[in-house]
Amino acid sequence: MCIRDRLKEARIGALSKESCEVLRRCQGRDWKENKIRPTLIFPRRAEVDMINDSNLRALTGRCYTYKARLAYDGKVPDGFDEGDEKFKKVVETFDSDAAYNKELELMLNAQVMLIANIEPDSGLVNGSRGVVVGFCQATELPIVEFVNGIKKTIGTHAWPIEDYEFVSRTQVPLRLAWAGTIHKSQGATLDSALIDIGSGIFEYGQAYVALSRVRNLDALYVYDFDPLAFRAHPKVKEFYLKLCVHESISD
């Protein structure tokens, strides 16, 4: 069975004995010698921030800092004021909800994850894992080597701000990736992940989301595993059970 079969069971919170055995085998896989390490996926942000910060501080050399900025398309309406309280609150909320960091710190050998689809044809998409191998002398932008072998200087990416079509938030589309939260990993398909699907899971569907971040079982490493962590909301379970009944009748 492939990971898709495990996800069907995980979605409704009902792992089979076989799926439990597969996930337990993933618990013992060695990852520490990998140049590009799997991202540790944890339920709580405090754990993630601590892991990323401690690993970054353990590196040597210069620390490069990149700050999110506002960019305009040249069609700024009359009367617009960047200092307007309403606009400032919109930007603050946008920064809080965004995948990027308002202030990003990087160093040589930092483990990173791409958070935007910058070159889909080359496999450089949201969730692509890599390591910082240098910095451009002219621009000081980071040079990243990705799992697929591509080395690329990563420039800034623009995220349009809703309700202000003429304004975008720009930032280097990278995030430290020694660890990440289950919530922040939503929408990304990771090249490699070490997931916590143990007793620390505290919400319906969290374990399913964590498991669904990887492309295949070869990319999956398990930090902690507890079958009881896979819990689906009763309404979600009811929906999928009705769907299964409908499909069986149609067949």
Side-chain angles (χ1 to χ4, degrees):
M1 292 170 68
C2 63
I3 194 167
R4 185 178 301 175
D5 298 308
R6 317 295 170 199
L7 292 175
K8 287 179 182 178
E9 299 172 356
R11 189 182 288 117
I12 60 173
L15 291 183
S16 65
K17 182 179 179 181
E18 183 180 359
S19 288
C20 289
E21 290 174 353
V22 168
L23 293 177
R24 285 194 178 96
R25 285 199 295 271
C26 292
Q27 217 172 336
R29 297 182 61 208
D30 183 29
W31 51 268
K32 295 183 179 180
E33 299 303 316
N34 296 359
K35 180 178 182 180
I36 299 173
R37 297 185 174 188
T39 299
L40 282 68
I41 302 297
F42 287 100
R44 300 183 186 278
R45 182 176 175 178
E47 296 171 301
V48 168
D49 289 345
M50 180 185 68
I51 292 169
N52 281 330
D53 186 65
S54 62
N55 276 279
L56 184 69
R57 302 306 164 198
L59 299 177
T60 57
R62 177 181 169 185
C63 182
Y64 292 76
T65 302
Y66 309 90
K67 295 182 179 181
R69 303 184 184 278
L70 294 172
Y72 298 87
D73 68 358
K75 301 176 182 178
V76 181
D78 293 338
F80 172 75
D81 181 4
E82 195 175 290
D84 178 72
E85 285 302 318
K86 179 182 176 182
F87 178 70
K88 287 167 67 175
K89 287 181 180 179
V90 167
V91 174
E92 185 179 333
T93 301
F94 193 81
D95 285 341
S96 177
D97 295 339
Y100 61 78
N101 286 347
K102 186 177 178 180
E103 189 169 293
L104 173 67
E105 292 184 333
L106 295 177
M107 297 177 68
L108 187 66
N109 295 319
Q111 297 284 323
V112 293
M113 180 177 76
L114 195 59
I115 56 172
N117 298 324
I118 63 171
E119 284 186 14
D121 291 342
S122 301
L124 301 185
V125 297
N126 185 12
S128 294
R129 280 298 326 280
V131 61
V132 176
V133 294
F135 294 89
C136 177
Q137 289 187 349
T139 64
E140 297 192 344
L141 289 168
I143 302 168
V144 177
E145 179 181 341
F146 291 93
V147 167
N148 61 8
I150 291 178
K151 290 183 182 180
K152 183 174 178 62
T153 301
I154 307 299
T156 58
H157 182 80
W159 288 266
I161 298 177
E162 290 184 18
D163 300 327
Y164 293 88
E165 297 179 354
F166 54 92
V167 188
S168 295
R169 202 65 156 142
T170 64
Q171 176 59 295
V172 174
L174 294 172
R175 196 164 65 219
L176 293 177
W178 282 283
T181 63
I182 293 174
H183 174 69
K184 285 287 188 179
S185 70
Q186 292 187 75
T189 301
L190 304 179
D191 292 312
S192 181
L194 173 61
I195 64 175
D196 181 356
I197 43 177
S199 58
I201 295 293
F202 59 91
E203 286 185 359
Y204 289 121
Q206 269 193 329
Y208 165 75
V209 172
L211 185 60
S212 64
R213 294 310 87 204
V214 296
R215 305 173 194 278
N216 52 60
L217 289 171
D218 291 335
L220 177 65
Y221 301 79
V222 175
Y223 173 77
D224 190 19
F225 171 64
D226 182 353
L228 297 179
F230 287 86
R231 298 181 299 126
H233 191 282
K235 289 186 177 179
V236 173
K237 187 177 291 189
E238 181 183 359
F239 170 79
Y240 281 108
L241 289 175
K242 285 182 179 179
L243 188 64
C244 290
V245 170
H246 176 74
E247 289 177 348
S248 63
I249 293 175
S250 299
D251 293 340

